[in-house]
Structure formats: structure tokens, C-alpha cells
Amino acid sequence: MLLPILRWPDPRLSQPCLPAVLDDDLRALAADMLETMYAAPGRGLSAPQVGAMRRLFVMDVAWKDGPADPMVLINPEVLWLSDELALGPEGCLSIPGVVAEVERSRALRLRWTGLDGVRVEALLEGFAAVCAQHELDHLDGIVTLDRLSSDARATALAGVLA
Ligand code: ZN
């Protein structure tokens, strides 16, 4: 089922999420979030963006260039962030039309629970690392605009508000 995506500045996008509990409702939510992400189209979607204030996000960094590789990350936990940073452009399905230049770690190690209930760990690099950090921010009530200086934020919003 396609879910409506909240638009910034909806206050729910600024609230930290609660731990997720893996049950049938959460499995259904994850399936709907993937469907909604692919339809948007996007490469990542967090639960608060569809108004579910739980620590869960979905992503697929491969599907626009090849076979789909859907990932569901429940209660993700950052184990390590690289000191090496990179600045890159990021869009957000909740802030359509805005591309923000955000600084992120080039790599991170994450631990999360999958839909099968198994806790797994992986090292994410490149676009997957950027996407995961963007979605992790959503779980803490942070959007790209919150990571910009006031000048950069005004510039990023200028095109949209004009
Ligand atoms: Zn976003």
C-alpha cells in the first residue's frame, strides 16, 4: 500500500523516534515503505517520513542502476563512523525540490535487525553510507536543512519558496 510522505516542516520530521518492535504490523509497515520508496521514486525512506515514529528505515541504493536490493533496517545502531568526511548533494522525499550539500562520513559500520529478526552488521561505504546517515538522521528528528549553515539553508530553500 502506498503511504503518504510527510512534507517538511511537518513537526513529526523533527521528533526523535522510539525503538521499533518486530511484529506483523512492523513487517506490513516495512513492505509499504519499500513500495512507497520505489514509487516515489527514491533510494531511502524512514518510518517518521510516513508518520510512524519508530526506529526503522528502508533503502535500496542499487535499483536505479541495476537489480533491486531492498534493505530493511530495524533499530539501527552506529558502531563506527569514519573520520574522513565528504561533502555531497542530497535530496529528500520530504523536502521535494531541495538539494542540500551535506557533509557525511565516507563510511560507517552499522548493526541492525532484519525482517527475519536476526541482528546483523555491515560496513557501508560510498552512496550507501550517505543514504544510511541521511535516514539515521530522520530517526533522530534531523533533516538535511538542519545540517546547513543559515546562509546555505536560505540558499537551498530559495528555489523552492520563490
Ligand atoms: Zn530524507
Side-chain angles (χ1 to χ4, degrees), residues 49 92-93 134 138:
Q49 288 179 279
C92 179
L93 294 175
H134 178 115
H138 277 301

Side-chain angles (χ1 to χ4, degrees), residues 13 44-46 49 90-95 104 131 134-135 137-138 142-144:
L13 295 171
L45 184 68
S46 64
Q49 288 179 279
E90 293 179 28
C92 179
L93 294 175
S94 292
I95 320 174
R104 303 284 189 189
C131 189
H134 178 115
E135 303 309 334
D137 268 359
H138 277 301
I142 297 166
V143 297
T144 54

Side-chain angles (χ1 to χ4, degrees), residues 37-116:
M37 179 190 78
Y38 287 124
R43 291 188 282 198
L45 184 68
S46 64
Q49 288 179 279
V50 293
M53 306 308 292
R54 297 290 162 177
R55 298 190 69 83
L56 155 76
F57 68 86
V58 298
M59 71 175 192
D60 185 340
V61 297
W63 76 276
K64 286 191 177 180
D65 311 302
D69 180 24
M71 292 175 71
V72 175
L73 298 92
I74 300 163
N75 295 324
E77 185 188 345
V78 176
L79 303 175
W80 172 80
L81 281 167
S82 70
D83 292 332
E84 197 187 345
L85 305 175
L87 191 66
E90 293 179 28
C92 179
L93 294 175
S94 292
I95 320 174
V98 170
V99 176
E101 291 284 331
V102 183
E103 195 169 54
R104 303 284 189 189
S105 290
R106 280 192 184 276
L108 78 162
R109 180 165 281 281
L110 261 190
R111 180 189 289 152
W112 69 91
T113 300
L115 276 179
D116 55 3

Side-chain angles (χ1 to χ4, degrees), residues 12 15-19 47-48 52-56 138-141:
R12 284 168 287 183
Q15 286 171 21
C17 293
L18 299 168
M53 306 308 292
R54 297 290 162 177
R55 298 190 69 83
L56 155 76
H138 277 301
L139 304 186
D140 292 327

